[in-house]
Amino acid sequence: MARPRAFDERHVLERAREQFWATGYAGTRMDDIAAATGLGKGSLYGAFGDKSKLFHRVFGDWCTAVVEVAEGRLAGGPDAEALARLSAYVHLMAENTAADTERRGCLMAKGAAELAQHDPAVAGRSAETMTALLTLLRTEIGAAQRHGDIDSAADPERLAALLLAVVRGIEAVGKAGLAPEAVRTIADTALAALPRPRGKEGDSTREGASTR
């Protein structure tokens, strides 16, 4: 009978994530993970495999969390509230970036930038996450169009892609040092740029929250 693990797997994965997040994939050694988690390298290899497999596990968990955060704001509901849900999500991303005073950015973005060109697993998981985010945004845009808050003649696919580029770009410029208020202004401007039906121009919804 297999012996039960004498460690908290979730805690170990969190500590590994923090190490990868801080020093990147190439800059992280299994010795670093061992020191961060308090486990010997033998235990790490036995439980999670090599560094690549451990990173894939951490990276996958992060991508899942990214989608879950979006689902928390873009979970559907009355069409009358769809524009408010979109606004809440975009502003949440801006506030998260503004609160990231260490400028660590997003582990998904960092991992994809470092590895996607050579690692099919990272590239595939990143693309899957972007597709899920795009679908959530497109669904809410369609709901706002049905309610008359966004011009029904606009292409929801293109608008969703635009908002996705904005929320992911906000993280990049914030990490590069753009001031928090400028980051918030980007969010406001993107939402104000959504095509509105005649008579509703300038009627924007500002709703934000800050949690990571």
Side-chain angles (χ1 to χ4, degrees), residues 55-66:
F55 180 79
H56 288 161
R57 173 73 180 274
V58 168
F59 187 80
D61 287 350
W62 182 281
C63 290
T64 296
V66 166

Side-chain angles (χ1 to χ4, degrees), residues 36-124:
T37 61
L39 290 180
K41 287 196 293 183
S43 295
L44 286 170
Y45 284 122
F48 303 106
D50 60 16
K51 186 177 83 165
S52 177
K53 290 180 180 177
L54 177 56
F55 180 79
H56 288 161
R57 173 73 180 274
V58 168
F59 187 80
D61 287 350
W62 182 281
C63 290
T64 296
V66 166
V67 175
E68 288 176 347
V69 167
E71 288 173 339
R73 298 290 173 175
L74 307 174
D79 288 357
E81 298 171 6
L83 184 59
R85 292 191 294 270
L86 284 167
S87 179
Y89 176 64
V90 173
H91 284 122
L92 174 65
M93 295 299 99
E95 290 302 325
N96 284 351
T97 297
D100 183 16
T101 56
E102 297 180 20
R103 296 182 186 173
R104 293 195 296 176
C106 173
L107 180 61
M108 180 179 66
K110 293 176 74 170
E114 184 178 4
L115 298 172
Q117 183 179 1
H118 308 291
D119 189 325
V122 169

Side-chain angles (χ1 to χ4, degrees), residues 9-62:
E9 181 178 278
R10 179 50 51 189
H11 172 75
V12 171
L13 288 170
E14 288 174 355
R15 299 306 303 162
R17 179 196 67 201
E18 292 296 314
Q19 188 64 51
F20 282 124
W21 199 4
T23 56
Y25 180 78
T28 299
R29 303 171 304 157
M30 285 300 277
D31 286 333
D32 301 321
I33 300 293
T37 61
L39 290 180
K41 287 196 293 183
S43 295
L44 286 170
Y45 284 122
F48 303 106
D50 60 16
K51 186 177 83 165
S52 177
K53 290 180 180 177
L54 177 56
F55 180 79
H56 288 161
R57 173 73 180 274
V58 168
F59 187 80
D61 287 350
W62 182 281

